[in-house]
């Protein structure tokens, strides 16, 4: 160790571990603790060496502001407490704020419609994943909800579009439909229907009137073609 290192350690011990007579009546606390570590203790006791807030610009600003001094929007400051104590206080306030909306929203949610998409055998040990790519879109102009999804297994070349009115008491035509891509990209009617068959890798709404899909050529070979297509809802 260099002399500079020894001086640094000696200064640290001198600053933080001087005898503190005012702490003699506190159990096990006869010396000042290191000032950072005291903030991290998970206990409700007051800090051994609370910070000196004199000259702090934020506290002076609050003290001089008649509007902010008693504002319920500002989280109270506990200069004598550790960060663990403040964290628990803040979590309690946040939980209290979220409880009422959770109760109100929870009571307002109800089932509007039930559709059977597929059935699986009861004898199967694990249910296969048949539902994929659920993507939600809200058309605020027409007050419509959309859900895009694909069904694996037998309908890999189809994308399903579910449409519901935001007013659950109203219905819309063609509430659910499927778009099949198949071999629609074939250059001529002479091409084999099996040679250029496409399945959907992903699908999102581009805007209220357009759906963007990523298609993959279904043939089992290297260099499968990928197609980015935009389809009008109409």
């Amino acid at each position: 160790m260099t002399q500079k290192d020894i001086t640094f350690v000696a200064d640290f011990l001198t600053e933080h571990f001087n005898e503190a007579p005012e702490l003699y009546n506190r159990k096990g606390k006869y010396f000042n603790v290191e000032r950072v570590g005291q903030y991290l203790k998970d206990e409700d006791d007051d800090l051994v060496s609370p910070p000196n807030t004199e000259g702090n610009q934020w506290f002076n600003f609050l003290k001089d502001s008649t509007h902010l001094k008693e504002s319920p929007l500002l989280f109270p400051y506990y200069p004598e407490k550790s960060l663990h104590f403040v964290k628990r206080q803040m979590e309690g306030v946040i939980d209290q704020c979220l409880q009422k909306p959770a109760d109100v929203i929870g009571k307002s949610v109800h089932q509007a419609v039930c559709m059977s998409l597929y059935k699986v055998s009861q004898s199967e040990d694990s249910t296969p994943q048949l539902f994929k790519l659920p993507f939600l879109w809200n058309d605020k102009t027409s007050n419509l909800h959309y859900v895009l999804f694909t069904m694996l297994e037998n309908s890999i070349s189809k994308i399903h579009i579910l449409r519901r009115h935001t007013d659950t008491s109203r219905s819309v035509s063609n509430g659910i439909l499927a778009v099949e891509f198949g071999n629609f990209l074939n250059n001529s009617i002479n091409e084999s229907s099996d040679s250029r068959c496409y399945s959907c890798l992903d699908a999102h709404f581009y805007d209220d009137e357009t759906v963007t899909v990523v298609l993959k050529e279904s043939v089992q070979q290297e260099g499968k073609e990928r197609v980015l297509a935009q389809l009008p809802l109409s």
Side-chain angles (χ1 to χ4, degrees), residues 106-136:
K107 292 175 181 177
S108 67
V109 173
H110 63 278
Q111 178 178 298
V113 65
C114 180
M115 294 183 179
S116 178
L117 296 178
Y118 59 86
K119 293 181 180 180
V120 294
S121 173
Q122 297 290 337
S123 61
E124 294 186 24
D125 296 333
S126 60
T127 303
Q129 181 192 6
L130 299 178
F131 190 73
K132 190 182 178 186
L133 299 181
F135 178 77
L136 309 180

Side-chain angles (χ1 to χ4, degrees), residues 41 61 82 117 181 184-185 215:
K41 291 186 176 179
F61 170 70
S82 72
L117 296 178
F181 301 104
F184 80 108
L185 292 176
L215 303 175

